[in-house]
């Protein structure tokens, strides 16, 4: 190597070193991002964020006909989300259209004094109060609590305080674009990956571990776009969430208001749910739930939206359907222990793989029950049961990973039909196939008392309410034909939705009306 070559090489090395040492650290980039959003003082003065006029999509709703079908996105509109950063409250209000099933839903995490409580306003059903874990959302997130912990302002402030200031930021890709990347911590100490846009200086996205009720631990990415100025604060108006490498939700908001006085109203606990809110706070784990006797040895566990059936055997119990949330399962198990002391739950039967009907399955397995799953539902149920749930940890994960591990229930797969019999009591499970809602669908029959439990196919109305012929539509026509083929003798129909009613009502609702004749 000549002197000249050596000098050139040294010069290049010096330039490279200088470039390296002046490359900004993640801390510096996070502080720049806060400045680009309007400055530390402005961001810290935000009490409430009201994001309104949202339109977009939500996936991972778990409503496919077959367990292995690819999911179509649900459409979200009129999305209005409020994060009350100063009081730890959040609200998700939206309309969802899921392949023609439309519902206006509104889940609120609020507080009475310093105690958190959930309020659920959905469709036409009465408003109810739950403990926070009892909330189940199909909005941009599974629970309003995520909005509090995962919004751009909270994350940007945490990043500016915690991002590493030792190493320079790296180049890393997010959603097809290159950004400056570094790591930091959320306020509660979670590890977080941060992506900064070198041009705008804004926070382009962040990633961290979310524990989803249905998906378990998933690496979640939050992509922040369409930053616009709102009274001197620059905020993202489009938020795209990916979980476990797949699309989750994607919503474009038309407006964001900061410290809007109207925001307060949404967190008021309505009179109709006020006493129940006190009950929820006092109980710790609470969702509305009552055990109603259907017949000898059979109870309908009526919750506020999704119900179960309890079948009593001489020395243990079986549950059909463990829906919605782990909290609902905990409330049910407590009720059962009071009413049937010394009778553990030995079995929990799954009627289908839809997420709203399986959110309590892990909770039941944690109590040691064997989960009975039809082969057609196995792909989804295995994922649900096998997943880790660490942030926060659920009861099943805690027991499995305790030292030494504590016993938990496992999954037993059956095909077509399963009969459980003990001491004169019998529960029969039948998979019916070809239903347009879900295929297969498990129905549960207790022959001693001629009771049939099914969910989503027919919702028995209040006692004595008239039933119009054919009002059940194709969802109901199909199981009626299947039940006739199985030759089951049924007097009473208990619903995973609705109540308990005479089988004759179902027959009427499931029988197509005579075709109108035209001249
Ligand atoms: Zn369903």
């Amino acid at each position: 190597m000549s002197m000249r070559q050596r000098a050139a090489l040294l010069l290049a090395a010096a330039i490279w070193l200088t470039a390296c040492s002046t490359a900004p650290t993640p801390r510096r980039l996070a502080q720049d991002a806060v400045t680009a959003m309007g400055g530390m003082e402005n961001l810290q003065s935000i009490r409430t964020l009201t994001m309104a006029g949202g339109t977009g999509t939500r996936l991972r709703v778990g409503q496919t006909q077959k367990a292995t079908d690819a999911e179509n996105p649900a459409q979200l509109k009129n999305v209005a989300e409020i994060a009350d950063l100063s009081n730890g409250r959040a609200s998700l209000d939206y309309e969802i259209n899921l392949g023609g099933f439309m519902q206006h839903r509104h889940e609120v995490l609020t507080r009475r004094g310093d105690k958190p409580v959930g309020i659920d306003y959905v469709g036409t059903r009465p408003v109810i109060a739950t403990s926070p874990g009892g909330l189940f959302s199909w909005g941009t997130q599974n629970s309003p609590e995520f909005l509090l912990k995962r919004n751009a302002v909270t994350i940007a402030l945490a990043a500016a305080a915690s991002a590493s200031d030792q190493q320079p930021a790296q180049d890393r890709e997010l959603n097809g674009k290159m950004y400056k990347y570094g790591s930091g911590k959320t306020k509660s100490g979670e590890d977080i990956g941060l992506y900064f846009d070198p041009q705008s200086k804004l926070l382009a996205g962040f990633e961290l571990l979310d524990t989803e009720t249905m998906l378990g631990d998933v690496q979640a990415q939050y992509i922040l776009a369409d930053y616009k100025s709102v009274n001197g604060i620059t905020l993202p108006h489009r938020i795209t969430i990916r979980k476990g490498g797949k699309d989750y939700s994607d919503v474009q908001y038309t407006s964001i208001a900061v410290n809007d006085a109207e925001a307060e109203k949404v967190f008021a606990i309505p009179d109709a749910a006020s006493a129940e809110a006190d009950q929820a706070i006092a109980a710790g784990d609470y969702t509305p739930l009552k055990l109603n006797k259907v017949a000898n040895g059979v109870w309908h566990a009526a919750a506020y939206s999704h119900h179960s059936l309890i079948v009593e055997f001489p020395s243990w119990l079986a549950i059909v359907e463990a829906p919605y949330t782990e909290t609902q399962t905990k409330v049910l198990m407590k009720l059962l222990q009071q009413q049937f002391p010394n009778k553990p739950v030995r079995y929990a039967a799954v009627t289908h793989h839809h997420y709203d009907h399986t959110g309590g399955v892990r909770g039941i397995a944690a109590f040691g029950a064997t989960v009975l799953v039809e082969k057609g539902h196995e792909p989804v149920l295995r994922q649900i049961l096998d997943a880790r749930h660490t942030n926060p940890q659920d009861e099943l994960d805690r027991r499995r990973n305790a030292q030494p591990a504590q016993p938990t229930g496992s999954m037993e797969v059956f095909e077509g039909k399963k009969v459980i019999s003990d001491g004169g009591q019998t529960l029969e499970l039948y998979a019916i196939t070809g239903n347009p809602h879900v295929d297969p669908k498990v129905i549960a029959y207790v022959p001693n008392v001629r009771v049939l439990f099914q969910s989503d196919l027919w919702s028995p109305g209040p006692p004595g309410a008239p039933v119009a012929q054919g009002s059940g539509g194709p969802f109901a026509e199909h199981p009626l034909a299947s039940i006739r083929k199985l030759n089951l003798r049924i007097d009473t129909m208990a619903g995973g939705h609705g109540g308990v009613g005479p089988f004759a009502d179902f027959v009427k609702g499931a029988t197509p009306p005579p075709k109108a004749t035209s001249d």
Side-chain angles (χ1 to χ4, degrees), residues 214 286 320 334 337 353 460 474 517:
M214 303 312 305
Y286 177 87
V320 181
K334 200 168 161 188
Q337 278 160 10
H353 61 278
T517 48

Side-chain angles (χ1 to χ4, degrees), residues 63 352 354 356-357 437-438 456:
Q63 298 293 318
H352 64 305
H354 290 175
D356 51 327
H357 291 267
H437 176 64
V438 65
D456 290 355

